[in-house]
Amino acid sequence: MQRQLPLVFLAFLLIFILPLSALTPPLPLESQVNASNYIALARLTNVKESKISSSSISVTATVEVIKPLKGGSTLPQKFDLAFLVFPELFGKWLKATPQEGEYILFLIKKKVKDSKGNESETIALYEPHPYAFREYSKELEEKILSYVKN
């Protein structure tokens, strides 16, 4: 009976708690702008996907910055991006691999360690990743720029 208790708890967690995290809405746009180190109007190219399992997709893409909206002086003009898509977890947000095209990307600085334990900083997608991509519109760009200036 003692061994079954952790299994029952794990099953409870997976069945009832995990789906609730799928309902978490993104932060308001102003909060997301403030929490991002970089924001850019960018073009995704060379988008490639591969299925990892029946419910997750690995994606790689090349990002070409068209116009930096925040943190532009240290944002590279072109870089590669890799991330995972979990269609069943995030409601309407990033249910499938993004198509090639223009997006507003929200990015953060993230500390990483190499195999020798050396720490460095890299550019990563805003977390959670599904909220890092927004379809481009001039109206959205103007809202973001107004929050950046304030």
Side-chain angles (χ1 to χ4, degrees):
M1 183 66 178
Q2 288 285 358
R3 295 189 81 151
Q4 288 182 336
L5 188 58
L7 291 176
V8 170
F9 179 75
L10 181 61
F12 175 81
L13 180 71
L14 292 174
I15 293 170
F16 296 105
I17 305 299
L18 194 58
L20 293 178
S21 67
L23 302 175
T24 304
L27 290 173
L29 182 61
E30 184 174 11
S31 297
Q32 189 173 8
V33 168
N34 292 334
S36 299
N37 299 104
Y38 305 101
I39 303 171
L41 167 55
R43 181 175 294 114
L44 288 185
T45 59
N46 302 320
V47 177
K48 295 180 180 126
E49 69 174 58
S50 59
K51 272 201 171 277
I52 297 177
S53 69
S54 62
S55 61
S56 59
I57 303 165
S58 171
V59 180
T60 59
T62 301
V63 175
E64 297 174 35
V65 175
I66 298 169
K67 179 180 179 184
L69 305 177
K70 181 179 180 183
S73 62
T74 57
L75 185 63
Q77 289 298 304
K78 193 172 186 178
F79 57 94
D80 292 323
L81 195 58
F83 57 96
L84 298 175
V85 174
F86 299 100
E88 73 284 357
L89 287 183
F90 289 99
K92 70 176 188 167
W93 298 90
L94 199 61
K95 289 184 78 68
T97 301
Q99 300 297 306
E100 292 190 4
E102 293 181 1
Y103 295 87
I104 292 188
L105 291 183
F106 294 84
L107 305 159
I108 58 172
K109 293 178 185 176
K110 190 165 191 167
K111 292 186 186 228
V112 293
K113 287 185 180 181
D114 65 15
S115 60
K116 295 178 182 177
N118 299 321
E119 195 172 274
S120 63
E121 218 169 53
T122 189
I123 296 172
L125 288 173
Y126 175 88
E127 294 173 353
H129 297 157
Y131 305 141
F133 295 86
R134 296 263 183 127
E135 294 281 334
Y136 174 75
S137 73
K138 186 68 175 165
E139 179 184 332
L140 179 59
E141 178 184 352
E142 289 170 358
K143 277 185 187 177
I144 290 169
L145 288 173
S146 74
Y147 292 139
V148 169
K149 289 178 183 175
N150 290 336

